[in-house]
Short mmCIF file of all heavy atoms in Angstrom, two decimals:
data_model
loop_
_atom_site.label_atom_id
_atom_site.label_comp_id
_atom_site.label_asym_id
_atom_site.label_seq_id
_atom_site.Cartn_x
_atom_site.Cartn_y
_atom_site.Cartn_z
N HIS A 186 178.74 35.64 158.20
CA HIS A 186 178.84 36.82 157.35
C HIS A 186 178.68 38.15 158.08
O HIS A 186 178.37 39.16 157.45
CB HIS A 186 177.87 36.72 156.17
CG HIS A 186 177.97 35.40 155.46
ND1 HIS A 186 179.08 35.03 154.75
CD2 HIS A 186 177.11 34.36 155.41
CE1 HIS A 186 178.89 33.81 154.26
NE2 HIS A 186 177.71 33.39 154.65
N LEU A 187 178.89 38.18 159.39
CA LEU A 187 178.87 39.45 160.11
C LEU A 187 180.26 40.07 160.15
O LEU A 187 180.42 41.26 159.91
CB LEU A 187 178.34 39.28 161.54
CG LEU A 187 176.88 38.89 161.69
CD1 LEU A 187 176.51 38.79 163.16
CD2 LEU A 187 175.98 39.87 160.96
N ILE A 188 181.25 39.26 160.48
CA ILE A 188 182.63 39.72 160.62
C ILE A 188 183.53 38.65 160.02
O ILE A 188 183.32 37.46 160.23
CB ILE A 188 182.99 39.90 162.11
CG1 ILE A 188 182.18 41.04 162.73
CG2 ILE A 188 184.47 40.16 162.30
CD1 ILE A 188 182.41 41.21 164.21
N ASP A 189 184.56 39.08 159.30
CA ASP A 189 185.55 38.13 158.77
C ASP A 189 186.74 37.99 159.69
O ASP A 189 187.30 36.91 159.81
CB ASP A 189 186.03 38.56 157.39
CG ASP A 189 184.95 38.46 156.33
OD1 ASP A 189 183.98 37.70 156.52
OD2 ASP A 189 185.06 39.17 155.32
N SER A 190 187.17 39.10 160.30
CA SER A 190 188.34 39.06 161.16
C SER A 190 188.21 40.10 162.26
O SER A 190 187.93 41.26 162.00
CB SER A 190 189.62 39.36 160.36
OG SER A 190 190.74 39.42 161.21
N VAL A 191 188.42 39.64 163.50
CA VAL A 191 188.47 40.56 164.64
C VAL A 191 189.73 40.23 165.44
O VAL A 191 190.03 39.07 165.70
CB VAL A 191 187.20 40.49 165.52
CG1 VAL A 191 186.95 39.10 166.06
CG2 VAL A 191 187.27 41.50 166.67
N THR A 192 190.47 41.28 165.77
CA THR A 192 191.69 41.14 166.56
C THR A 192 191.53 41.94 167.83
O THR A 192 191.13 43.10 167.79
CB THR A 192 192.92 41.64 165.77
OG1 THR A 192 193.05 40.88 164.57
CG2 THR A 192 194.20 41.50 166.59
N PHE A 193 191.86 41.32 168.95
CA PHE A 193 191.85 41.98 170.25
C PHE A 193 193.29 42.18 170.69
O PHE A 193 194.14 41.32 170.43
CB PHE A 193 191.13 41.11 171.29
CG PHE A 193 189.68 40.87 171.01
CD1 PHE A 193 189.28 39.79 170.24
CD2 PHE A 193 188.72 41.71 171.54
CE1 PHE A 193 187.93 39.56 169.99
CE2 PHE A 193 187.36 41.48 171.29
CZ PHE A 193 186.98 40.41 170.52
N ALA A 194 193.57 43.28 171.38
CA ALA A 194 194.92 43.52 171.90
C ALA A 194 194.83 44.09 173.31
O ALA A 194 194.10 45.04 173.55
CB ALA A 194 195.67 44.49 170.99
N CYS A 195 195.56 43.48 174.23
CA CYS A 195 195.66 43.97 175.60
C CYS A 195 197.07 44.51 175.76
O CYS A 195 198.05 43.77 175.57
CB CYS A 195 195.40 42.84 176.59
SG CYS A 195 195.33 43.39 178.30
N GLY A 196 197.16 45.81 176.06
CA GLY A 196 198.47 46.45 176.16
C GLY A 196 198.73 47.40 175.02
O GLY A 196 199.81 47.97 174.92
N ALA A 197 197.76 47.58 174.14
CA ALA A 197 197.85 48.53 173.02
C ALA A 197 196.52 49.26 172.91
O ALA A 197 195.47 48.63 172.91
CB ALA A 197 198.17 47.81 171.71
N GLU A 198 196.59 50.57 172.84
CA GLU A 198 195.37 51.38 172.67
C GLU A 198 194.82 51.17 171.26
O GLU A 198 195.54 50.72 170.36
CB GLU A 198 195.69 52.85 172.91
CG GLU A 198 196.04 53.16 174.36
CD GLU A 198 194.92 52.81 175.33
OE1 GLU A 198 193.75 53.10 175.02
OE2 GLU A 198 195.22 52.24 176.39
N PRO A 199 193.54 51.51 171.01
CA PRO A 199 192.95 51.27 169.70
C PRO A 199 193.73 51.86 168.52
O PRO A 199 193.92 51.19 167.51
CB PRO A 199 191.56 51.91 169.83
CG PRO A 199 191.23 51.76 171.27
CD PRO A 199 192.54 51.98 171.98
N VAL A 200 194.21 53.10 168.64
CA VAL A 200 194.95 53.71 167.53
C VAL A 200 196.25 52.95 167.29
O VAL A 200 196.64 52.69 166.15
CB VAL A 200 195.21 55.20 167.79
CG1 VAL A 200 196.17 55.78 166.76
CG2 VAL A 200 193.89 55.98 167.79
N GLU A 201 196.93 52.54 168.36
CA GLU A 201 198.16 51.76 168.21
C GLU A 201 197.86 50.41 167.56
O GLU A 201 198.63 49.93 166.72
CB GLU A 201 198.83 51.56 169.57
CG GLU A 201 200.15 50.81 169.48
CD GLU A 201 200.80 50.57 170.83
OE1 GLU A 201 200.29 51.04 171.86
OE2 GLU A 201 201.84 49.89 170.83
N LEU A 202 196.75 49.80 167.91
CA LEU A 202 196.35 48.53 167.28
C LEU A 202 196.16 48.74 165.78
O LEU A 202 196.64 47.94 164.97
CB LEU A 202 195.08 48.00 167.93
CG LEU A 202 194.47 46.73 167.31
CD1 LEU A 202 195.47 45.59 167.24
CD2 LEU A 202 193.22 46.33 168.10
N ALA A 203 195.49 49.82 165.40
CA ALA A 203 195.30 50.11 163.97
C ALA A 203 196.65 50.28 163.27
O ALA A 203 196.85 49.77 162.16
CB ALA A 203 194.45 51.37 163.80
N LEU A 204 197.58 50.96 163.91
CA LEU A 204 198.92 51.14 163.32
C LEU A 204 199.62 49.80 163.15
O LEU A 204 200.26 49.54 162.13
CB LEU A 204 199.76 52.08 164.17
CG LEU A 204 199.34 53.54 164.16
CD1 LEU A 204 200.07 54.33 165.24
CD2 LEU A 204 199.57 54.17 162.79
N ARG A 205 199.52 48.94 164.14
CA ARG A 205 200.16 47.63 164.07
C ARG A 205 199.53 46.75 163.00
O ARG A 205 200.16 45.81 162.52
CB ARG A 205 200.11 46.94 165.44
CG ARG A 205 201.02 47.60 166.46
CD ARG A 205 200.90 46.97 167.83
NE ARG A 205 201.77 47.62 168.79
CZ ARG A 205 202.47 46.97 169.71
NH1 ARG A 205 202.40 45.66 169.82
NH2 ARG A 205 203.24 47.65 170.56
N LEU A 206 198.30 47.05 162.61
CA LEU A 206 197.63 46.31 161.54
C LEU A 206 197.83 46.96 160.17
O LEU A 206 197.28 46.49 159.18
CB LEU A 206 196.13 46.18 161.85
CG LEU A 206 195.79 45.22 162.98
CD1 LEU A 206 194.33 45.34 163.38
CD2 LEU A 206 196.13 43.78 162.60
N GLY A 207 198.60 48.05 160.12
CA GLY A 207 198.95 48.62 158.83
C GLY A 207 198.43 50.01 158.53
O GLY A 207 198.65 50.52 157.43
N ALA A 208 197.72 50.64 159.48
CA ALA A 208 197.29 52.03 159.23
C ALA A 208 198.52 52.92 159.10
O ALA A 208 199.57 52.66 159.68
CB ALA A 208 196.40 52.51 160.38
N ARG A 209 198.38 53.97 158.32
CA ARG A 209 199.51 54.89 158.09
C ARG A 209 199.72 55.80 159.28
O ARG A 209 198.76 56.42 159.76
CB ARG A 209 199.23 55.72 156.84
CG ARG A 209 199.22 54.89 155.58
CD ARG A 209 198.82 55.71 154.36
NE ARG A 209 197.96 54.86 153.54
CZ ARG A 209 196.69 55.09 153.29
NH1 ARG A 209 196.11 56.18 153.71
NH2 ARG A 209 195.99 54.25 152.57
N PRO A 210 200.96 55.90 159.76
CA PRO A 210 201.25 56.82 160.87
C PRO A 210 200.82 58.24 160.50
O PRO A 210 201.03 58.70 159.38
CB PRO A 210 202.76 56.74 161.04
CG PRO A 210 203.14 55.41 160.45
CD PRO A 210 202.16 55.18 159.33
N GLY A 211 200.19 58.92 161.44
CA GLY A 211 199.77 60.29 161.22
C GLY A 211 198.40 60.42 160.57
O GLY A 211 197.86 61.52 160.50
N GLU A 212 197.84 59.31 160.08
CA GLU A 212 196.51 59.37 159.47
C GLU A 212 195.47 59.71 160.53
O GLU A 212 195.46 59.15 161.62
CB GLU A 212 196.15 58.02 158.84
CG GLU A 212 194.75 57.98 158.27
CD GLU A 212 194.34 56.60 157.76
OE1 GLU A 212 195.18 55.69 157.72
OE2 GLU A 212 193.17 56.45 157.40
N GLN A 213 194.62 60.65 160.23
CA GLN A 213 193.53 61.00 161.11
C GLN A 213 192.36 60.05 160.85
O GLN A 213 191.90 59.95 159.71
CB GLN A 213 193.09 62.45 160.89
CG GLN A 213 194.13 63.47 161.33
CD GLN A 213 194.48 63.32 162.81
OE1 GLN A 213 193.59 63.27 163.65
NE2 GLN A 213 195.76 63.24 163.11
N PRO A 214 191.89 59.36 161.87
CA PRO A 214 190.79 58.42 161.63
C PRO A 214 189.50 59.16 161.30
O PRO A 214 189.30 60.30 161.71
CB PRO A 214 190.66 57.69 162.96
CG PRO A 214 191.18 58.65 163.98
CD PRO A 214 192.27 59.42 163.27
N ARG A 215 188.68 58.51 160.53
CA ARG A 215 187.33 59.01 160.28
C ARG A 215 186.39 58.14 161.10
O ARG A 215 186.73 57.03 161.46
CB ARG A 215 186.99 58.95 158.79
CG ARG A 215 187.03 57.54 158.24
CD ARG A 215 186.75 57.47 156.76
NE ARG A 215 187.95 57.78 156.02
CZ ARG A 215 188.03 57.86 154.73
NH1 ARG A 215 186.96 57.64 153.99
NH2 ARG A 215 189.14 58.15 154.13
N ARG A 216 185.23 58.62 161.41
CA ARG A 216 184.21 57.83 162.10
C ARG A 216 183.34 57.21 161.02
O ARG A 216 182.87 57.91 160.12
CB ARG A 216 183.37 58.71 163.03
CG ARG A 216 184.17 59.45 164.09
CD ARG A 216 184.62 58.62 165.23
NE ARG A 216 183.51 58.18 166.05
CZ ARG A 216 183.62 57.29 167.02
NH1 ARG A 216 184.78 56.77 167.32
NH2 ARG A 216 182.58 56.92 167.72
N ALA A 217 183.17 55.91 161.07
CA ALA A 217 182.39 55.24 160.03
C ALA A 217 181.70 54.01 160.61
O ALA A 217 182.19 53.38 161.54
CB ALA A 217 183.30 54.83 158.87
N SER A 218 180.58 53.68 160.00
CA SER A 218 179.86 52.46 160.35
C SER A 218 180.39 51.32 159.48
O SER A 218 181.11 51.54 158.50
CB SER A 218 178.36 52.65 160.10
OG SER A 218 178.13 52.74 158.70
N SER A 219 179.98 50.12 159.81
CA SER A 219 180.36 48.96 159.02
C SER A 219 179.87 49.10 157.58
O SER A 219 180.61 48.84 156.63
CB SER A 219 179.78 47.70 159.66
OG SER A 219 180.13 46.56 158.92
N ALA A 220 178.63 49.54 157.42
CA ALA A 220 178.06 49.70 156.08
C ALA A 220 178.83 50.74 155.27
O ALA A 220 179.07 50.55 154.07
CB ALA A 220 176.58 50.09 156.17
N GLU A 221 179.24 51.83 155.91
CA GLU A 221 180.00 52.87 155.20
C GLU A 221 181.35 52.35 154.74
O GLU A 221 181.81 52.67 153.64
CB GLU A 221 180.17 54.10 156.10
CG GLU A 221 178.87 54.86 156.32
CD GLU A 221 178.97 55.89 157.43
OE1 GLU A 221 179.78 55.73 158.37
OE2 GLU A 221 178.20 56.87 157.36
N VAL A 222 181.99 51.52 155.56
CA VAL A 222 183.28 50.95 155.17
C VAL A 222 183.09 49.98 154.01
O VAL A 222 183.88 49.97 153.06
CB VAL A 222 183.97 50.26 156.36
CG1 VAL A 222 185.20 49.48 155.92
CG2 VAL A 222 184.37 51.29 157.41
N MET A 223 182.04 49.18 154.06
CA MET A 223 181.77 48.25 152.95
C MET A 223 181.52 49.01 151.65
O MET A 223 182.01 48.61 150.59
CB MET A 223 180.58 47.35 153.29
CG MET A 223 180.84 46.41 154.46
SD MET A 223 182.25 45.33 154.25
CE MET A 223 181.62 44.22 153.01
N ASP A 224 180.80 50.12 151.73
CA ASP A 224 180.57 50.96 150.54
C ASP A 224 181.87 51.54 150.02
O ASP A 224 182.10 51.60 148.81
CB ASP A 224 179.59 52.10 150.85
CG ASP A 224 178.17 51.62 151.04
OD1 ASP A 224 177.86 50.47 150.66
OD2 ASP A 224 177.35 52.41 151.59
N LEU A 225 182.76 51.95 150.94
CA LEU A 225 184.06 52.50 150.57
C LEU A 225 184.89 51.47 149.80
O LEU A 225 185.48 51.78 148.77
CB LEU A 225 184.79 52.97 151.83
CG LEU A 225 186.12 53.67 151.66
CD1 LEU A 225 185.93 55.01 150.96
CD2 LEU A 225 186.77 53.89 153.02
N LEU A 226 184.90 50.24 150.29
CA LEU A 226 185.66 49.19 149.62
C LEU A 226 185.04 48.83 148.27
O LEU A 226 185.76 48.57 147.31
CB LEU A 226 185.74 47.94 150.50
CG LEU A 226 186.83 48.05 151.56
CD1 LEU A 226 186.25 47.97 152.94
CD2 LEU A 226 187.85 46.98 151.36
N ALA A 227 183.72 48.82 148.21
CA ALA A 227 183.03 48.49 146.96
C ALA A 227 183.27 49.55 145.89
O ALA A 227 183.24 49.25 144.70
CB ALA A 227 181.53 48.32 147.20
N GLY A 228 183.55 50.80 146.31
CA GLY A 228 183.78 51.90 145.38
C GLY A 228 185.11 51.82 144.66
O GLY A 228 185.36 52.55 143.70
N GLY A 229 186.01 50.95 145.10
CA GLY A 229 187.32 50.79 144.46
C GLY A 229 188.33 51.77 145.01
O GLY A 229 188.00 52.78 145.62
N GLY A 230 189.59 51.46 144.80
CA GLY A 230 190.68 52.33 145.23
C GLY A 230 191.13 52.07 146.67
O GLY A 230 192.19 52.49 147.08
N VAL A 231 190.32 51.38 147.44
CA VAL A 231 190.68 51.01 148.82
C VAL A 231 190.57 49.50 148.93
O VAL A 231 189.53 48.92 148.61
CB VAL A 231 189.73 51.69 149.84
CG1 VAL A 231 190.03 51.21 151.24
CG2 VAL A 231 189.81 53.20 149.75
N GLU A 232 191.67 48.86 149.34
CA GLU A 232 191.69 47.41 149.45
C GLU A 232 191.36 46.92 150.85
O GLU A 232 190.87 45.81 151.03
CB GLU A 232 193.06 46.86 149.05
CG GLU A 232 193.38 47.04 147.59
CD GLU A 232 194.76 46.52 147.28
OE1 GLU A 232 195.23 45.57 147.94
OE2 GLU A 232 195.40 47.07 146.37
N SER A 233 191.67 47.75 151.87
CA SER A 233 191.54 47.28 153.23
C SER A 233 191.32 48.46 154.17
O SER A 233 191.88 49.54 153.98
CB SER A 233 192.80 46.52 153.62
OG SER A 233 192.69 46.00 154.92
#
């Protein structure tokens, strides 16, 4: 129950990895902890 899915990529920078996993092009990332992301998902309106 620490992590459900972790993907590693060699040959792609972190932002490119996020894009390949479905992040929206041009989206500015926010800095967040694991707990903050879990709270965001629990609040509704965000699926992933």
Side-chain angles (χ1 to χ4, degrees):
H186 311 292
L187 293 182
I188 294 175
D189 292 338
S190 175
V191 58
T192 300
F193 296 89
C195 186
E198 292 301 317
V200 171
E201 182 181 356
L202 175 55
L204 290 169
R205 290 177 180 221
L206 288 170
R209 293 175 219 116
E212 176 185 353
Q213 292 301 310
R215 61 182 81 183
R216 302 283 292 171
S218 69
S219 180
E221 290 168 332
V222 171
M223 295 303 289
D224 288 345
L225 184 66
L226 279 119
V231 175
E232 293 178 30
S233 182

